[in-house]
Amino acid sequence: MAEEMQNAEVRSFEVGDTVQGKVTKVDAKQALVDIGYKTEAILPISEVSSLHIEKVGDVLTEGEEMTFQVIKINEEKDEVLVSKKAVDAIKAWDDLEQKFSEGTVFEAAVADVVKGGLVVDVGVRGFIPASHVERHFVEDFSDYKGKSLSLKVIELDREKNKVILSHRAVLEDEQNKQKHQLFDQLEVGAVLEGTVQRLTDFGAFVDIGGVDGLVHVSELSWERVNKPSDVVSEGDKVKVKILKVDQENERISLSMKEAQPGPWETSLSQLKVGSIVSGTVKRLVSFGAFVEVAPGVEGLVHISQISNRHIGSPGEVLEEGQQVQVKILDINAAEQRISLSIREVEEEKEVKATKKEIANYEADNGGMGITIGDRLGDLAKKLKS
């Protein structure tokens, strides 16, 4: 009679039922679970975890209590097979679907490193593709096993038992959040320190604390720059001034030259009206020539100030890159303009040469009644002819 009652109790189970149980024995390939009936239920190793495990003891210990699902009943042998994995999966899928819909970030430990990425136990088998582990390329993932990562669900398919996770998405969200906070703090005109991240033909991208800004090639230096690598290298620490912030398009325009004293500031104290300085012809235009008299400082030699004789164009006398001596006629600091003359330098040279010639002539013809004025007059007429 007692045996019939026990059998009746066993037969009252149905596949799919959930029961509370206590682990009573742990073997390598299975565990026995007390679910309150005559025979202890069997928990096969394949039903312990959604991930591959070598032995049951890696996951369970004797005395643990938890919920199981009945997956098979053998009435003839009074055997009941239960699954921990099935219960975990039900809870996991409900939890994962909520996390996916809400974009929740959660922590999970890497269970294994496999070809193409990482495996994570999230109640079911979760997979992190290699491209979604970090924002940068990772060559060797061996150090990731056992490491806890913050993750987001990026793809979910319950029917196919597919769970795709991403750590990179979490990092990118954090970066975007920091970027927006930084954009709110940026002020046009502020001077900051940054790090050169990469160079292009048109300029240099500089990291100013979590966001990159562009220093156009024209803003790298007060002097003319042919290519950015002539001025900076990747990794250089540089000072930059914020020229423009476009938060909508996430673009920042920066200037290195504006963060440094300008050539006018450094050169004005050295340039004096009336002085003669050396310079380089930078540009020829129809009305004259622009000559660089200090790094980044150019002055105009009007066509009328190029030569003693009449010329139709500056190119008749000058060429770009030519070294010349010029006299500073005027400095307009407010408008950053300098007026220069090559002609007056040449005239002064001729006057000095004339004076020297007269002095030598008088020394050679002393007492003959010829004065400096007489000789200058003759030379003046000669110059005019």
Side-chain angles (χ1 to χ4, degrees):
M1 185 69 177
E3 183 176 333
E4 289 179 1
M5 289 179 63
Q6 289 171 341
N7 288 339
E9 287 177 339
V10 171
R11 285 193 298 271
S12 67
F13 284 121
E14 291 185 8
V15 173
D17 287 350
T18 55
V19 294
Q20 290 297 116
K22 181 178 181 180
V23 179
T24 58
K25 186 179 180 181
V26 175
D27 294 326
K29 298 302 180 183
Q30 68 175 30
L32 298 180
V33 181
D34 180 5
I35 55 175
Y37 294 96
K38 174 180 145 181
T39 57
E40 291 173 311
I42 299 171
L43 174 65
I45 189 171
S46 60
E47 294 298 325
V48 173
S49 172
S50 59
L51 307 181
H52 172 74
I53 59 175
E54 294 296 330
K55 55 183 185 296
V56 177
D58 291 339
V59 178
L60 297 177
T61 57
E62 292 182 8
E64 280 190 278
E65 295 185 11
M66 59 192 68
T67 303
F68 300 91
Q69 185 181 79
V70 176
I71 58 171
K72 186 176 181 181
I73 299 172
N74 189 328
E75 296 181 0
E76 292 182 3
K77 296 183 180 180
D78 288 340
E79 280 185 352
V80 177
L81 267 63
V82 294
S83 172
K84 172 182 177 296
K85 179 175 74 173
V87 175
D88 291 343
I90 293 171
K91 291 171 60 178
W93 278 107
D94 292 342
D95 183 50
L96 288 168
E97 286 175 348
Q98 183 176 357
K99 284 183 168 64
F100 185 44
S101 64
E102 296 177 356
T104 306
V105 176
F106 58 96
E107 296 284 326
V110 176
D112 201 5
V113 177
V114 296
K115 184 179 180 180
L118 308 175
V119 174
V120 180
D121 184 3
V122 287
V124 292
R125 184 183 187 275
F127 183 63
I128 309 173
S131 61
H132 279 273
V133 177
E134 300 286 353
R135 292 178 59 232
H136 57 272
F137 173 74
V138 179
E139 187 172 356
D140 183 9
F141 289 104
S142 57
D143 291 340
Y144 280 80
K145 188 170 183 178
K147 184 178 180 181
S148 182
L149 297 175
S150 51
L151 303 166
K152 284 182 72 172
V153 181
I154 59 171
E155 189 176 342
L156 207 59
D157 191 326
R158 196 164 187 163
E159 290 183 3
K160 295 181 180 180
N161 204 37
K162 185 178 182 181
V163 180
I164 306 299
L165 307 168
S166 175
H167 177 55
R168 190 189 76 187
V170 176
L171 298 177
E172 289 176 344
D173 286 347
E174 290 175 352
Q175 186 196 33
N176 288 333
K177 184 178 179 181
Q178 292 174 357
K179 185 185 290 186
H180 289 136
Q181 290 175 344
L182 183 59
F183 265 95
D184 290 337
Q185 297 169 3
L186 293 177
E187 294 183 7
V188 173
V191 176
L192 307 170
E193 185 174 271
T195 305
V196 179
Q197 293 296 307
R198 57 192 176 94
L199 304 179
T200 66
D201 292 338
F202 52 84
F205 285 92
V206 177
D207 179 2
I208 53 173
V211 63
D212 288 353
L214 173 64
V215 181
H216 190 267
V217 64
S218 62
E219 294 294 333
L220 287 169
S221 174
W222 288 106
E223 298 182 43
R224 181 178 175 81
V225 178
N226 291 320
K227 56 182 185 296
S229 58
D230 291 339
V231 181
V232 292
S233 302
E234 291 182 4
D236 283 356
K237 300 290 184 183
V238 295
K239 281 190 175 181
V240 291
K241 183 177 181 179
I242 300 175
L243 300 181
K244 185 179 179 182
V245 178
D246 182 351
Q247 188 159 354
E248 184 177 346
N249 295 306
E250 295 187 349
R251 291 178 181 174
I252 304 170
S253 299
L254 304 172
S255 174
M256 281 174 53
K257 74 179 187 183
E258 291 286 349
Q260 306 163 0
W264 277 83
E265 298 173 41
T266 55
S267 302
L268 274 181
S269 60
Q270 303 169 7
L271 300 174
K272 305 292 182 184
V273 173
S275 62
I276 295 175
V277 296
S278 296
T280 304
V281 178
K282 288 294 185 179
R283 292 177 291 140
L284 298 179
V285 292
S286 60
F287 53 86
F290 286 94
V291 176
E292 185 179 56
V293 292
V297 176
E298 293 182 7
L300 174 65
V301 182
H302 190 268
I303 191 170
S304 63
Q305 293 295 327
I306 291 177
S307 176
N308 284 316
R309 63 182 176 85
H310 174 75
I311 59 174
S313 69
E316 293 178 24
V317 180
L318 301 172
E319 59 183 23
E320 292 182 2
Q322 182 178 342
Q323 299 294 310
V324 294
Q325 283 196 311
V326 292
K327 183 176 182 179
I328 299 175
L329 302 180
D330 182 57
I331 297 175
N332 187 330
E335 297 182 8
Q336 296 188 352
R337 292 181 181 176
I338 300 179
S339 298
L340 305 172
S341 175
I342 296 174
R343 189 188 75 186
E344 289 201 12
V345 174
E346 296 302 319
E347 288 179 352
E348 287 190 17
K349 286 181 180 179
E350 289 183 2
V351 170
K352 286 180 181 179
T354 300
K355 287 182 178 180
K356 184 177 181 181
E357 183 181 348
I358 292 172
N360 291 336
Y361 185 87
E362 288 182 341
D364 293 339
N365 299 275
M368 295 186 67
I370 299 175
T371 66
I372 293 177
D374 293 333
R375 184 58 179 160
L376 278 174
D378 291 341
L379 286 171
K381 290 177 182 178
K382 183 180 177 182
L383 288 171
K384 289 179 180 180
S385 62

